[in-house]
Amino acid sequence: MNLEEGIQRGIFAREPAKAGELQQLLAALTRRLDDARRPQNHPDTQLDQVYLAILTCALAALRNEGVRPVDPGVCQPEILDSLEDTLHLERLRIDTCQRIRELRGRAIREGVLVAPRDVAAGLEEAIWLAERLQRWLEDQDRVAPLPN
């Protein structure tokens, strides 16, 4: 499903981003990546922050396009799939993001233990995605660089 189909189905709606909204999302992204990197955090917490960082990247890309999810709590798979249309990610990357979402969900619903290697792999993906988002936004002269 592409963005236009998502809009037609009522999953997404056209709505211009508010002033400062992208910067707020980028600041949240930085906080989430910082929390995911903290070794004193439990791997469950780290993975949660990794996933939220990935989701924030997808939301920032949507908002940059003047699109918002109608119900972000329900349509998270579609939000991640939108990365194909916004950041032009290949399906393999999106599938990796979806696996991180699924692992996080299993950790919440079933109490599945999160392995440090899963956190490390997810964090690597989240950092790559954040850098891709930043380059994409800079190419459009939309925002300043991510805070350090």
Side-chain angles (χ1 to χ4, degrees), residues 33-111:
L33 288 173
D34 288 346
D35 283 346
R37 288 181 177 113
R38 286 197 178 90
Q40 64 268 31
N41 285 343
H42 191 278
D44 289 356
T45 301
Q46 289 177 297
L47 184 69
D48 192 50
Q49 293 304 305
V50 161
Y51 172 69
L52 291 174
I54 290 169
L55 186 63
T56 300
C57 286
L59 287 168
L62 280 171
R63 297 308 291 132
N64 184 64
E65 294 293 304
V67 175
R68 69 167 176 78
V70 172
D71 188 349
V74 173
C75 63
Q76 292 178 14
E78 292 85 357
I79 292 170
L80 296 179
D81 281 345
S82 74
L83 289 165
E84 187 170 3
D85 286 337
T86 55
L87 298 184
H88 308 290
L89 293 191
E90 51 279 347
R91 190 71 232 174
L92 185 61
R93 289 268 186 194
I94 295 169
D95 289 346
T96 299
C97 294
Q98 295 289 8
R99 280 192 298 279
I100 293 166
R101 179 186 59 78
E102 291 165 3
L103 178 58
R104 175 191 179 248
R106 288 187 62 221
I108 291 169
R109 288 186 311 277
E110 302 167 24

Side-chain angles (χ1 to χ4, degrees), residues 16-35:
K18 297 176 183 119
E21 186 176 355
L22 284 174
Q23 287 297 359
Q24 288 176 330
L25 285 167
L26 293 177
L29 171 59
T30 299
R31 290 190 308 271
R32 290 175 174 136
L33 288 173
D34 288 346
D35 283 346

Side-chain angles (χ1 to χ4, degrees), residues 102-146:
E102 291 165 3
L103 178 58
R104 175 191 179 248
R106 288 187 62 221
I108 291 169
R109 288 186 311 277
E110 302 167 24
V112 172
L113 288 175
V114 174
R117 71 178 179 281
D118 291 330
V119 171
L123 181 57
E124 185 177 312
E125 191 67 22
I127 291 168
W128 180 90
L129 184 57
E131 290 170 351
R132 174 82 173 252
L133 171 67
Q134 184 64 39
R135 286 190 308 274
W136 181 70
L137 291 171
E138 287 172 356
D139 286 347
Q140 298 178 34
D141 293 324
R142 294 302 275 245
V143 296
L146 284 171

